[in-house]
Amino acid sequence: MASSLTKDSASTTGTEKTFLGHPRGLANLFMTEMWERYSFYGMRALLVLYLVAPASQGGLGFNMATATAIYSVYNAMVYLLALPGGWLADRAWGARKTVAIGGTIIMIGHFLLAVPVEISFFIGLAAIALGSGLLKANISTMVGHLYPDKNDPRRDGGFTVFYMGINLGAFAAPLTIGTVGQKVNWHFGFALAGVGMALGLLFFFLGTRHMSAESDVIPTPMSGAERAAIIKKALIWLGVAVVAYGALAVSGHFSVDWAMWPLTIAGLVIPAWYLLRIKRDKDLDQVSQSRMSAYLWFFVAAAVFWGIYDQTGSTLSVFAQDNTSNSLFGLDFPSSWFQSLNPLYVMALAPVFAWLWVYTNKRRKEPSTLSKFAFGLTLIGLSFFVMMLAQAASSGGVKVTPLWLCAVYLIQTVGELTLSPVGLSLTTKLAPEKYASQMMGVWFLAVTAGDSVIALLQLIGAPTDSSYWFASQGGLAVLAGVAIFMFRKKVKPLMGGVH
């Protein structure tokens, strides 16, 4: 990475070192994010496989429904906790300190997973979710701080370089952590994820002097009285939880469902409450109210999309292990390697889509935001119709060709590139000025809501290993896509001039 550091001839001093023409701190944030995503996606590639593996193979021996519900709730909590993560940076710690604390908690969590004790595993999982919420909400903000001039022409390119780190980490993780976990030892794989996060923290601390001073600023610090009141409430709720769950443990009635159900319900109630709170804010003018009404359409569509998309690490992961031939062109590979397909496709196709939108815009033929959402939803639905066919083809214990999953991941990635970047951009455009900094957290709540719905279905016993599971969700997504396209002329006026 040091070889990429060059002298910036445009610098006023002539001595400032840069990273690919960008502020030097971008190199350290790039490496921090790459290694954090490496640890996150590497652990996620193993999570459900470890949960369902029998004790004789070193796993926890959960049934499929419980394991995939745990995965869905965990994923939902990662994105739900991004909201308090952003709040803590704004009110208590500042972005840089929050990222450092979050990364440290993530590292500890991964090493707790490496301890072959069940309670340690679940404490580690909770720690990773908490740490990810703290880090995820603020590291992108730190990238923005590197460009104090909002019109700096390097700004968009800097974020492009940064997000490439996400996909590089996500691509490499299943190939290494997945292989170690599946072929050597589950806990060695989890430990390797911890090493990845440790490397990310190392790059972060080494680059501290290159970060913007703005990343240390606490925008709206709490008063002493407010801080004391919040700590008091937090301790009361913590005490209630400890007493309640302690009583269940002592009486022998505790089971994983006692943790799963409250978290699943919270993952549904909190996003709904938060959106309703913004929508009913009397301080918002008529245009902002109208835009929030339009945003509800996009939020629900995104929740449906992410609920299906995030099953790459659960139902699709188990299908890859149990029903797919893990050999192609004479090469044998662990089933976790399928998790590298999405980031590989993203890196290959993202530049194509960036060019496509510019090309169609110049010719005034670029699809509207609503059309892009409709197309993304339709594609994610079609991917599950393909999975339905793959599930049918694997009946009777037949191992299907890996090309089925290669096709599914390709369709989903095209859908992601159609919907996800557009949703991020749209969120900033429709956000009421009062909630400008909070709306990105609201966008992440769509992931929480979608994953929580899937967890709920799994907790009530929906058959996740059947063609019906894939067909029903695929049909719902396609219908949602068609509905958005059909009602686009009614939704567009609500957007208050935003295109």
Side-chain angles (χ1 to χ4, degrees), residues 277-498:
R277 174 174 167 266
I278 296 175
K279 183 72 178 66
R280 298 182 65 180
D281 190 335
K282 295 180 180 179
D283 290 340
L284 300 186
D285 58 29
Q286 187 174 354
V287 173
S288 296
Q289 287 281 1
S290 178
R291 287 176 176 173
M292 283 305 300
S293 295
Y295 190 74
L296 291 175
W297 282 76
F298 295 103
F299 184 91
V300 173
V304 173
F305 181 92
W306 294 118
I308 295 176
Y309 179 90
D310 276 342
Q311 291 180 57
T312 53
S314 56
T315 52
L316 268 64
S317 181
V318 174
F319 182 86
Q321 176 176 260
D322 295 344
N323 304 99
T324 305
S325 173
N326 295 324
S327 177
L328 189 64
F329 306 125
L331 173 67
D332 295 326
F333 54 89
S335 61
S336 55
W337 280 26
F338 283 104
Q339 303 286 310
S340 289
L341 284 174
N342 171 255
L344 178 65
Y345 287 149
V346 168
M347 289 187 286
L349 294 176
V352 176
F353 273 80
W355 168 84
L356 179 63
W357 300 143
V358 173
Y359 177 83
T360 53
N361 181 266
K362 286 181 178 179
R363 286 154 180 77
R364 298 184 178 181
K365 294 182 179 180
E366 183 180 1
S368 67
T369 298
L370 285 157
S371 296
K372 290 175 182 177
F373 257 72
F375 187 61
L377 272 174
T378 302
L379 283 177
I380 201 73
L382 290 176
S383 76
F384 260 35
F385 280 131
V386 175
M387 275 304 304
M388 176 191 70
L389 297 175
Q391 182 75 46
S394 68
S395 61
V398 175
K399 296 273 189 176
V400 301
T401 172
L403 294 177
W404 280 107
L405 284 176
C406 291
V408 169
Y409 282 115
L410 177 60
I411 296 169
Q412 291 190 348
T413 302
V414 174
E416 176 192 3
L417 292 171
T418 304
L419 183 143
S420 183
V422 175
L424 289 168
S425 176
L426 185 72
T427 298
T428 62
K429 292 176 182 177
L430 293 179
E433 185 176 349
K434 181 178 179 179
Y435 296 98
S437 61
Q438 299 179 45
M439 283 298 287
M440 199 55 68
V442 173
W443 170 253
F444 290 138
L445 287 181
V447 185
T448 298
D451 284 336
S452 295
V453 169
I454 298 302
L456 182 64
L457 291 174
Q458 291 157 338
L459 285 171
I460 63 176
T464 57
D465 56 350
S466 69
S467 296
Y468 173 77
W469 174 263
F470 297 115
S472 58
Q473 292 179 63
L476 174 63
V478 171
L479 286 174
V482 171
I484 285 182
F485 187 78
M486 288 178 63
F487 288 95
R488 68 191 185 282
K489 292 182 179 179
K490 291 187 178 181
V491 178
K492 189 174 181 180
L494 298 175
M495 296 171 67
V498 171

